[in-house]
Amino acid sequence: MKIPTQASTQQMLRAHNADLADPDFWQLPRSERLKAFALLRGLDAPVLFGESGPARRRGGAGRGFYALVRHADVVEASRQPRQFASAPGVTTPEPAGWAKAVFGNSMVNMDGAEHANLRRIVSRAFTPRLLAAAEEDIRAVAGRVVDEMIARRPGDFVPSVASRMPFEIICNLMGIPERYRPEIADRVDHASENVGVKRARLRVPGRGLRALAQMQLVMAKLARERRRRPTDDLISALVRADVDGQSLSSRQLGAFFSLLLVAGVETTRNAIAHGLTLLTAHPEQRELLVGDFDRYADGAVDEIVRHSTPIIQFRRTVVADCELGGRELRPGEKVVLFYASANRDEAVFANPDVFDITRDPNPHLGYGGGGPHYCLGAHLARQEMKALFHELLTRPRDLRAVGMPELVDSNFDNRVRALRFAFEPS
């Protein structure tokens, strides 16, 4: 559908409840939101949201933004950091300046040399030896998590399996002692629970910031310990890193570990939970995967991530005059990269609403659209999901989700709060 004027576009969007800046939109069923994205992809150019109307009156995004909903537009914005900056922040709302001063700036909010230098330090800490040990640990943790699930028979898949798996992997990789883990797990939950929509208002991260502050105190203590007595873990590698005379400061270290814990745990946990739901709802895909796991595992993981898209969106700030998707953009304007829409783009994915583990190619944007901010942990996340689903699907148990997952109303991530499940001898 081609809409000739801005006025008629806005009228049509209101008729279809497609105001992406209105918190009410993010409380609609996911199927309705996906229909709205499909409608937007059919328009001539990205649409401006949030400048006026219900979004302002009901506590939505304060400044307007252009919604990038097509795969090609999201990829272009991701790969043109000189035109589309991550600073001052990629989340909605953007992080406050005082929060950056207190907690340190997250790598996802950086650009240019600042981002490149920090990413280089972090990347070099992930040595082949460290990654090999991590992959071996992933297989061991997956087996232990599933063993204990079968023995204990819990009712909720999220805390017992989906959250536990990535949390243990991250803690082992970092070298966090067992005595600190319950406290850190609690802080991670508090830091991420305020991302979403509540009572038609976007939640504010007050309690989340307190949780991050407490978590960073633990990280600072561990950093001091590792500087004195280094071991073979990521904390030791980072506090001792020396790349062109640079290493991570305590504040940079705290900000990075906060990102790693919250992003690394939450995104993978949600993908795992959605994965079990999808494989339960599509038994023919499950049978195909079980029948030849080694052949189809990589495709299954990518299709789970594409179909569920754990991170719904990130934003960018326009820093130079440019044109994108038929829209002229000016410095200071905001664009939001809707990965949840790009991963259903009919121009790229045939039958995009179909869950198909044999989809090839599958250029999904579940780990970002490329460019300097492509997810550092994508490889480890894939390995975690493969190892866990191998354990879940090849045991003499028929494990299935019971009903649909309980989702959090969120404009940021496709978060699963709870998922009932059951298993019995096959």
Side-chain angles (χ1 to χ4, degrees):
M1 178 185 295
K2 301 298 183 182
I3 305 300
T5 68
Q6 178 71 13
S8 57
T9 297
Q10 295 298 333
Q11 183 179 9
M12 180 271 293
L13 294 177
R14 285 194 297 270
H16 289 83
N17 295 319
D19 184 352
L20 306 190
D22 186 350
D24 280 351
F25 174 81
W26 299 101
Q27 294 179 314
L28 294 173
R30 187 164 181 252
S31 60
E32 294 301 310
R33 286 181 271 148
L34 291 175
K35 288 179 183 178
F37 282 131
L39 190 68
L40 290 167
R41 288 194 298 271
L43 302 183
D44 285 325
V47 174
L48 178 64
F49 290 96
E51 284 294 323
S52 61
R56 274 195 185 278
R57 294 194 301 270
R58 301 175 67 83
R63 295 186 60 183
F65 63 86
Y66 287 98
L68 305 186
V69 295
R70 295 191 289 244
H71 189 280
D73 293 345
V74 172
V75 169
E76 184 173 348
S78 300
R79 298 181 180 181
Q80 299 292 334
R82 292 184 179 179
Q83 295 176 331
F84 300 95
S86 296
V90 299
T91 55
T92 303
E94 294 167 354
W98 66 264
K100 294 181 185 179
V102 172
F103 303 116
N105 196 10
S106 176
M107 189 160 57
V108 297
N109 298 324
M110 296 178 182
D111 297 297
E114 182 185 27
H115 174 264
N117 290 339
L118 181 55
R119 189 173 176 113
R120 183 165 60 251
I121 293 170
V122 171
S123 296
R124 292 191 185 180
F126 283 89
T127 62
R129 178 180 177 182
L130 189 71
L131 289 174
E135 292 191 15
E136 183 176 345
D137 184 57
I138 284 170
R139 292 188 290 271
V141 171
R144 184 170 66 253
V145 166
V146 175
D147 283 343
E148 294 183 11
M149 177 200 70
I150 292 173
R152 296 175 180 175
R153 295 177 175 265
D156 188 348
F157 184 74
V158 173
S160 59
V161 179
S163 286
R164 183 182 167 192
M165 172 77 181
F167 180 74
E168 288 201 16
I169 295 300
I170 293 294
C171 286
N172 292 347
L173 176 68
M174 292 166 62
I176 295 176
E178 290 288 343
R179 66 183 182 276
Y180 291 119
R181 295 190 184 190
E183 178 183 357
I184 290 176
D186 183 60
R187 302 307 174 212
V188 170
D189 285 341
H190 288 169
S192 58
E193 70 179 355
N194 295 295
V195 177
V197 178
K198 183 179 183 182
R199 295 183 184 175
R201 290 185 63 88
L202 298 183
R203 292 178 182 172
V204 294
R207 188 178 180 189
L209 290 176
R210 289 195 296 273
L212 287 175
Q214 292 164 330
M215 188 162 60
Q216 289 197 14
L217 290 175
V218 176
M219 291 300 111
K221 181 178 181 179
L222 288 173
R224 290 193 296 270
E225 291 178 2
R226 294 298 192 277
R227 286 191 180 100
R228 293 193 300 267
R229 293 183 293 277
T231 56
D232 291 329
D233 56 47
L234 187 57
I235 294 179
S236 298
L238 286 172
V239 298
R240 300 174 67 209
D242 186 356
V243 179
D244 299 328
Q246 293 182 314
S247 60
L248 293 191
S249 67
S250 296
R251 193 169 61 171
Q252 286 176 320
L253 188 66
F256 171 70
F257 284 140
S258 296
L259 172 66
L260 187 63
L261 280 165
V262 176
V265 172
E266 289 297 306
T267 56
T268 306
R269 125 198 172 131
N270 292 330
I272 289 169
H274 284 293
L276 180 62
T277 304
L278 287 166
L279 291 171
T280 300
H282 300 86
E284 76 289 349
Q285 298 293 302
R286 178 193 178 103
E287 290 175 11
L288 190 63
L289 179 58
V290 172
D292 195 340
F293 189 88
D294 290 339
R295 178 181 179 184
Y296 293 111
D298 288 330
V301 166
D302 277 334
E303 183 66 349
I304 288 169
V305 172
R306 182 197 73 86
H307 202 278
S308 64
T309 311
I311 296 296
I312 295 172
Q313 52 102 340
F314 273 144
R315 71 162 50 195
R316 298 288 190 268
T317 299
V318 180
V319 292
D321 289 330
C322 60
E323 184 275 338
L324 181 62
R327 177 72 64 187
E328 295 292 331
L329 299 170
R330 299 287 180 263
E333 293 180 328
K334 306 291 182 177
V335 296
V336 173
L337 287 59
F338 283 101
Y339 307 111
S341 176
N343 280 343
R344 300 291 181 110
D345 192 339
E346 304 84 351
V348 176
F349 304 100
N351 301 314
D353 294 329
V354 173
F355 177 67
D356 179 8
I357 68 172
T358 67
R359 189 180 295 276
D360 185 26
N362 189 352
H364 69 82
L365 307 183
Y367 299 111
H373 283 280
Y374 186 78
C375 178
L376 267 173
H379 174 72
L380 286 179
R382 286 188 172 104
Q383 296 302 312
E384 289 177 45
M385 293 177 65
K386 283 175 61 176
L388 182 60
F389 279 110
H390 182 270
E391 292 291 338
L392 291 171
L393 299 177
T394 59
R395 299 294 187 95
R397 301 278 178 174
D398 188 13
L399 179 74
R400 297 183 183 276
V402 176
M404 297 302 293
E406 180 184 343
L407 301 179
V408 175
D409 293 327
S410 175
N411 65 345
F412 176 69
D413 61 352
N414 192 11
R415 191 172 193 234
V416 180
R417 178 182 286 115
L419 176 64
R420 294 177 57 235
F421 75 107
F423 50 93
E424 55 188 29
S426 56

